[in-house]
Amino acid sequence: MIEFHATTICAVKKDNRVAIAGDGQVTMGQSVVMKNTAQKVRRLYNGKIISGFAGSVADAFSLFDKFEAKLNQYNGQLLRSAVELAKEWRSDKVLRNLEALLLVTDGNTILMLSGNGEVIEPDDGICAIGSGGNYALAAARALTLNTELSAKEIAEKSLHIAADICVYTNHNVIVEEIEG
């Protein structure tokens, strides 16, 4: 069975703002670009939470739905919702097989969620996932340390740098920003 993968999400926290940027490429298998304009970054919980995904597209949509249900269940509490989702993700036989990662933020905290039950908050307020994630992460760290750019500008430029290097990442970047 051929899988569809969507990649490269970068989150940056700076000056009481958090931006999450994602590219628009969806790749079928290892060699075919099926879509250039996917929206991998979206607002949840009445616009109070921003989330982005990397990995299998169908799996990521399932996780968006599950995460939003947890946000509703726990009144928008980001950390509690993330931990409860990670616990369910790790223990449920169906969810355990999902191949996707999520980056989520409420404007104060950035969390990376994985199917291994991981809920990780980056030390430096910068996190990236997906096949171009390490490129975006390096770019975001360098831009944060060496420029006066905003969180939104850094996240967007980091995605463009990753797109120049990673064949699974394109320049159709969507950025959402939230104040902490």
Side-chain angles (χ1 to χ4, degrees):
M1 178 180 225
I2 296 176
E3 291 192 24
F4 291 87
H5 291 280
T7 56
T8 313
I9 304 294
C10 182
V12 177
K13 181 177 183 178
K14 185 176 180 185
D15 299 330
N16 203 36
R17 298 189 78 75
V18 177
I20 296 184
D23 75 306
Q25 184 168 314
V26 176
T27 308
M28 181 175 74
Q30 298 294 316
S31 59
V32 177
V33 175
M34 291 298 295
K35 185 172 179 74
N36 287 304
T37 59
Q39 185 173 344
K40 303 173 204 171
V41 177
R42 58 187 55 194
R43 289 183 177 268
L44 304 172
Y45 196 69
N46 300 316
K48 296 177 184 174
I49 304 291
I50 300 173
S51 180
F53 74 86
S56 172
V57 177
D59 292 354
F61 285 129
S62 295
L63 290 172
F64 272 148
D65 290 344
K66 291 276 187 194
F67 184 60
E68 189 151 41
K70 294 295 182 191
L71 288 167
N72 288 327
Q73 182 179 355
Y74 297 107
N75 300 316
Q77 295 176 43
L78 183 72
L79 185 57
R80 175 84 188 271
S81 300
V83 168
E84 293 301 324
L85 174 64
K87 285 172 29 182
E88 183 179 341
W89 193 352
R90 185 176 185 165
S91 62
D92 185 273
K93 288 182 182 184
V94 174
L95 288 179
R96 192 175 18 204
N97 293 315
L98 296 182
E99 295 180 12
L101 295 170
L102 294 178
L103 280 184
V104 297
T105 186
D106 59 2
N108 295 307
T109 304
I110 298 170
L111 300 173
M112 192 262 318
L113 310 177
S114 81
N116 297 329
E118 302 293 339
V119 177
I120 299 171
E121 181 178 7
D123 290 332
D124 59 359
I126 302 168
C127 192
I129 57 175
S131 64
N134 287 334
Y135 306 122
L137 179 66
R141 285 183 174 163
L143 290 168
T144 299
L145 292 173
N146 296 292
T147 71
E148 296 301 316
L149 296 173
S150 69
K152 184 175 183 177
E153 292 167 322
I154 291 169
E156 183 173 2
K157 286 185 183 298
S158 297
L159 257 286
H160 286 295
I161 291 168
D164 286 340
I165 301 168
C166 177
V167 297
Y168 299 109
T169 305
N170 70 12
H171 287 280
N172 185 10
V173 177
I174 294 174
V175 184
E176 290 284 346
E177 186 178 43
I178 192 167
E179 190 170 350

